Amino acid sequence: MEDERTDRLVHGHIDRRTFLKGAGGTLLALSRFDRLAQAAPGGPPRRGGTFVVGADVSPPGLDPAKSAAAHTWMISEHVYSNLLRRSPTNKLVPDLAESYDVVNPTTFVFKLRRGVQFHHGRELVADDVRYTFERMMDPRTGSPWRSIWLIIERIDTPDKYTVRFTTRRPFAPFLSYLGTPHYSAIVPRDVVERAGDLQQTASGTGPFRVERFVSENIVVLRRNPHYYEDGLPYLDTIEYRIIPDEAARLAALRTGTIHYTWSVDPLVDEQVRTMPGVAVLLPRGYCAQHTLALNQTKPPFNDVRVRRAVSVGMNRREVIRAVLRGKGAISTKIPPCDAPFGYSGDEKGLPYYEHNPQLARQLLAEAGYPNGIDTTLEVPPRFPLTVRTGEVLREQWAQAGIRVTLRQGEWGALLTAFVRTTYDGMSMIPTVWQPDPDAHVYDIYHSDSAINLGKFRDPYVDQLLEQGRTTLDRDRRVAIYQQLQRYVADQAYMLYIYASGAVELVRDFVKGYVSLPGAQPGSRSRQFFKTVWLDR
């Protein structure tokens, strides 16, 4: 049970509840705007069985501290645990920490559960927690989350089961990050130091352990018999079968070869509504974005006029009609489901969002390209929706004098190029929901971030980012992030085509599953596979 001491006042005016209100505005918004359906609970849970998931993409590796790929996270959230976690109602509650205390806006003390075992048999201790964060902060690790945790000034372990974090400044999303699997999965020092990293091996404290990982084929997770939540998990095994072709996944679902999958195709729910024995879980909000990055290290996209031309050369509403059949919304990186932090599906107030090919040609001419430009757009064939989006955009841009060649390639290579900005012209991938506005924008916008997309540098953006993460008042945070989104749109540093949702498809004998928003393919967290059981 949550420690009652954490509800006391600190510094005379900021208590834990107030801190969470300021830090967790996104969570509060999601509880209203993106409540999701869940599989019927059925009768008393049955133990045992294998739950088979049809996944579209293979994890590039298993180390939660080193991979920015959502398909790594879909495994790590079952294998690792965090100090905090989200409840079925999406509230932050203790996890590896049995209690925690917000001593003041920069000091957080966590008391660990005793007797929690890693999968290789050693007890979790405070040193593992300290090592986890120091490892991510170490530039030699190459963690994409390093810039998040540099806010930490000191980590103390006064005893075997106590961890004290001291941050350099108030950090509004601190608790939210601690409750998000891929940002703060606690790893064992001894296994990492022995193996070098956790890309091909794993040992966590989560409900399932990795039994087998064959890239591009299968990931098998086996029940952790020593998991600390009484009675969980119910399943013996989870199998992630990598089936890139969506038609093949749907066929496997129809025959019962797989029991669960997802799709971002807006027509899929219509295709499977009459499929016997299959339940369709629909999203109630648009949380996943299609993100367009431009290489700003060289011409022509180092010129703001060219970037603006690309933005006004897009008819976002037409793309939503043509590709999503209207099941989408205008978006920034902070999506509509995160209102009021995100824009609620309307381009009003967002500079250079309205379609205007004449203005695009004028901007190109002013930038020294009176005959337009020729460029490339990289799109991953693993995501047919992204390819279709690129095809529609190519036709729209042609009207504005922007001649685009689509390039397709292997997903891992395209993702690496996207993150490192090593593509020639433009690159587009689907990006996912994050637990806080800071998580959406800090890493990909900050000048000093290793994963700044497009490689732009802007002190004003950095200033707004710092203000957003250190301001605890929710209304002030909303104003800061709204201003940031307007400014980024004006400078066209990053472009966003639309936000969309994903349907989850599950066989009707699968019981006890709760779907939460999360940074996963289709913007879902599936951490509640641990409560799934099979009624057959």
Side-chain angles (χ1 to χ4, degrees):
M1 182 176 292
E2 190 170 330
D3 194 335
E4 293 180 358
R5 293 175 302 161
T6 58
D7 282 328
R8 66 179 173 81
L9 292 176
V10 294
H11 276 219
H13 67 284
I14 302 178
D15 62 7
R16 178 182 158 279
R17 191 181 308 277
T18 303
F19 187 93
L20 286 174
K21 181 179 179 182
T26 301
L27 294 178
L28 295 174
L30 281 167
S31 68
R32 292 194 300 269
F33 294 110
D34 197 31
R35 214 172 322 240
L36 301 177
Q38 58 183 306
R46 297 179 182 177
R47 295 195 172 278
T50 297
F51 179 52
V52 185
V53 177
D56 53 351
V57 176
S58 177
L62 299 178
D63 195 329
K66 299 191 76 169
S67 177
H71 290 80
T72 293
W73 313 337
M74 77 180 179
I75 303 301
S76 64
E77 68 179 358
H78 305 301
V79 175
Y80 296 95
S81 308
N82 299 63
L83 291 174
L84 306 178
R85 62 178 173 84
R86 288 185 170 82
S87 73
T89 57
N90 216 10
K91 293 182 179 179
L92 286 171
V93 297
D95 191 9
L96 288 176
E98 64 180 9
S99 65
Y100 63 99
D101 191 5
V102 181
V103 179
N104 58 53
T106 60
T107 307
F108 306 80
V109 177
F110 296 83
K111 296 289 186 181
L112 300 182
R113 295 175 184 262
R114 297 178 183 232
V116 174
Q117 291 187 32
F118 284 106
H119 297 154
H120 66 293
R122 181 175 64 77
E123 184 185 23
L124 166 82
V125 294
D127 178 68
D128 294 302
V129 177
R130 179 174 61 191
Y131 173 76
T132 292
F133 291 91
E134 289 179 346
R135 178 180 181 240
M136 289 189 286
M137 293 160 62
D138 187 339
R140 293 173 297 180
T141 303
S143 176
W145 321 132
R146 180 173 182 263
S147 61
I148 293 174
W149 298 119
L150 289 178
I151 193 74
I152 297 173
E153 182 176 38
R154 189 173 67 253
I155 306 173
D156 298 307
T157 54
D159 61 54
K160 192 175 180 181
Y161 302 106
T162 303
V163 183
R164 180 189 297 113
F165 291 90
T166 303
T167 59
R168 302 178 190 280
R169 300 176 297 282
F171 187 47
F174 187 66
L175 297 180
S176 181
Y177 279 126
L178 292 181
T180 304
H182 55 282
Y183 288 126
S184 59
I186 305 303
V187 303
R189 176 193 288 269
D190 53 334
V191 173
V192 177
E193 290 182 344
R194 182 170 63 249
D197 61 28
L198 297 170
Q199 291 288 57
Q200 298 298 319
T201 188
S203 182
T205 56
F208 296 91
R209 58 182 176 82
V210 176
E211 182 174 89
R212 186 157 60 105
F213 171 36
V214 181
S215 183
E216 304 297 335
N217 186 315
I218 195 169
V219 183
V220 179
L221 306 180
R222 178 71 63 178
R223 181 179 185 271
N224 174 10
H226 305 294
Y227 185 55
Y228 47 84
E229 286 195 75
D230 288 343
L232 295 178
Y234 298 121
L235 297 165
D236 285 337
T237 310
I238 300 176
E239 288 187 7
Y240 279 85
R241 298 183 185 176
I242 313 305
I243 309 173
D245 181 71
E246 184 158 283
R249 289 199 308 277
L250 293 180
L253 184 71
R254 183 187 299 274
T255 62
T257 304
I258 65 172
H259 307 150
Y260 170 95
T261 191
W262 58 84
S263 176
V264 295
D265 190 322
L267 297 182
V268 161
D269 61 314
E270 299 173 14
Q271 297 172 23
V272 301
R273 281 187 186 278
T274 58
M275 189 181 291
V278 174
V280 180
L281 308 184
L282 296 174
R284 297 180 185 173
Y286 298 123
C287 293
Q289 320 90 36
H290 258 67
T291 297
L292 181 69
L294 307 95
N295 188 334
Q296 294 164 56
T297 66
K298 56 186 178 181
F301 298 119
N302 59 345
D303 191 315
V304 66
R305 293 167 294 188
V306 176
R307 300 195 301 270
R308 287 168 173 169
V310 173
S311 186
V312 297
M314 292 189 287
N315 187 335
R316 293 170 171 85
R317 294 201 174 276
E318 177 57 33
V319 177
I320 292 170
R321 284 192 293 269
V323 177
L324 301 179
R325 304 300 191 268
K327 298 176 182 178
I330 299 294
S331 185
T332 63
K333 185 61 184 74
I334 306 175
C337 71
D338 279 352
F341 288 98
Y343 276 79
S344 55
D346 194 329
E347 66 265 65
K348 292 179 180 178
L350 292 171
Y352 301 100
Y353 257 60
E354 292 189 15
H355 182 226
N356 191 333
Q358 182 178 353
L359 175 59
R361 288 184 176 275
Q362 177 183 328
L363 289 166
L364 291 174
E366 292 174 2
Y369 302 97
N371 298 320
I373 62 171
D374 294 277
T375 188
T376 58
L377 172 63
E378 295 193 353
V379 290
R382 277 289 179 91
F383 302 105
L385 201 71
T386 308
V387 176
R388 294 205 297 270
T389 298
E391 291 169 346
V392 174
L393 288 173
R394 178 178 58 188
E395 299 304 314
Q396 294 178 352
W397 281 324
Q399 302 171 31
I402 302 168
R403 297 172 293 276
V404 173
T405 300
L406 296 185
R407 289 182 179 173
Q408 301 185 39
E410 190 270 327
W411 164 236
L414 288 180
L415 177 61
T416 299
F418 182 84
V419 171
R420 296 179 181 175
T421 314
T422 55
Y423 49 88
D424 290 330
M426 303 184 291
S427 181
M428 180 171 59
I429 68 170
T431 50
V432 294
W433 180 84
Q434 300 286 1
D436 187 273
D438 181 80
H440 273 290
V441 295
Y442 190 91
D443 275 340
I444 66 171
Y445 289 169
H446 199 282
S447 298
D448 295 331
S449 171
I451 57 173
N452 170 283
L453 298 180
K455 298 297 180 282
F456 65 91
R457 303 180 67 88
D458 190 319
Y460 182 61
V461 170
D462 296 344
Q463 177 186 332
L464 290 174
L465 291 170
E466 295 297 338
Q467 290 176 355
R469 60 171 22 192
T470 58
T471 298
L472 300 185
D473 181 83
R474 184 170 182 267
D475 291 339
R476 287 182 59 199
R477 287 194 87 206
V478 168
I480 291 166
Y481 285 113
Q482 290 274 323
Q483 175 59 25
L484 174 67
Q485 290 165 96
R486 288 191 296 268
Y487 182 76
V488 168
D490 178 73
Q491 296 299 305
Y493 286 135
M494 295 287 295
L495 302 177
Y496 303 94
I497 321 305
Y498 52 72
S500 59
V503 297
E504 297 175 284
L505 310 170
V506 58
R507 298 292 307 190
D508 57 7
F509 55 76
V510 176
K511 307 297 182 183
Y513 171 54
V514 179
S515 178
L516 293 178
Q520 296 291 337
S523 289
R524 296 289 174 266
S525 171
R526 302 175 182 98
Q527 61 182 282
F528 284 99
F529 280 174
K530 66 185 177 183
T531 64
V532 162
W533 56 279
L534 307 179
D535 185 19
R536 63 175 185 173

